[in-house]
Amino acid sequence: MFNPETFIEEKVKELREEIKGKAIIACSGGVDSTVAAKIVEMAIHENLLVVFVDTGFMRKNEAERVEKIFKNLGFNYRILDSKEDFLSSLRNVVDPEKKRKIIGAKFIEIFEKVAKEFRAEYLVQGTIAPDWIESGGGLRDTIKSHHNVGGLPEEMKLKLVEPLRDLYKDEVRKIARYLGIENAERQPFPGPGLAIRILGEIDDEKLEIVREANAIVEEEVENFYDFDSRPWQYFAVLLPIRSVGVHGDKRAYGFTIAIRMVESLDGMTAAYFKPSYELLDRIATRITTEIKKVNRVVYDITNKPPGTIEWE
Ligand code: XMP
């Protein structure tokens, strides 16, 4: 049985030996990077700088929420507003792997700058086992380039520290619960964020739509099911196609939102969740009334494999 207390104790000791200087971590506020940051912070205190990069691809009210968590955890932190920078670098980009590469490169560019300013010698990452296994870590072929494994430029000369490398999600959640980290029960959210939940080219309008739709899905699912009966992941995807519908007494040409809800243990395989029709009804009604540019909502009934969890 995995014991979070023993894991933390041993890791903190190990990290004190390993890190002989300043370190930096990009923390998304998700459970993996927050737990990684907290464990390293317990080892080296203010010598760790926790950075939240606001890419503009985050969920509704995310930056405020994350800052609150950082404050509560007593982190030495910085919040960087890089929204414009990310969006302009993705103009005209349609291919999902390209999107991931560009986002990864941008992250690293911003990071390099902050790391230099802070004089960090170490880079902490919240990589967990499924991330590197799926990124072609030797066990399987490369499925996709997860940005948090996506390669650090050699010239950066930062030493990589990955305290959660051998853990699976449920173990990370156990540590988070043990440490009283308030996002322990949150569903996983991909590093590139909403950028991979808009199929095709990204722009402000589409970001706004998918952000709102996603907030509705999260709110309705969380009101409908208590934590134990909720799906493992539940979110909205914006499709790049438009179709005809009616708004009031007028025919309107609108976007389609796909709803994805899955059951999974660690994201490696997944089964589509069978939600109540009442819940689907509420979600579809709210999305099509509150987001005028959407006139169609569909539900994804694909397992992984053959589908992935994200659409991209
Ligand atoms: P897929 O779509 O490959 O996703 O079935 C498996 C799980 O991984 C999440 N995911 C990511 N997590 N960085 C992350 O930290 C990423 O780049 C990334 N891409 C996908 C996805 O949400 C699902 O939980």
Side-chain angles (χ1 to χ4, degrees), residues 24 26 49-56 58 63 67 70 77-84 86 106-107 109-115 117:
I24 187 167
L49 179 66
V50 182
V51 179
F52 174 80
V53 181
D54 190 351
T55 57
M58 310 307 290
E67 183 158 16
F70 287 4
Y77 72 86
R78 271 178 71 181
I79 309 273
L80 300 176
D81 181 354
S82 311
K83 294 191 206 73
E84 281 303 315
F86 275 91
K106 199 36 95 193
F107 250 107
E109 182 194 311
I110 292 169
F111 240 25
E112 256 182 316
K113 208 169 146 251
V114 186
E117 283 166 16

Side-chain angles (χ1 to χ4, degrees), residues 93-94 99 194-202 206 237-241 310-312:
V93 181
V94 173
K99 278 185 194 167
L194 301 176
I196 60 162
R197 292 189 179 164
I198 294 170
L199 274 63
E201 197 186 341
I202 298 167
K206 288 179 185 156
V237 178
L238 176 66
L239 306 189
I241 45 159
E310 304 290 344
W311 279 45
E312 312 215 359

Side-chain angles (χ1 to χ4, degrees), residues 32 100 131 134 143-148 169 188-192 196-197 232-233 235 266-268 304 307-312:
D32 302 343
R100 283 178 171 278
D131 296 337
E134 288 209 345
I143 293 174
K144 67 180 62 154
S145 53
H146 284 183
H147 87 271
N148 41 358
K169 200 88 194 180
F189 186 70
I196 60 162
R197 292 189 179 164
W232 191 75
Q233 222 175 339
F235 56 88
D266 52 21
M268 305 278 282
K304 174 185 179 178
T308 48
I309 295 177
E310 304 290 344
W311 279 45
E312 312 215 359

Side-chain angles (χ1 to χ4, degrees), residues 168-179:
Y168 282 84
K169 200 88 194 180
D170 53 323
E171 296 168 330
V172 180
R173 284 215 170 110
K174 278 186 190 148
I175 302 177
R177 242 171 268 141
Y178 174 80
L179 291 171

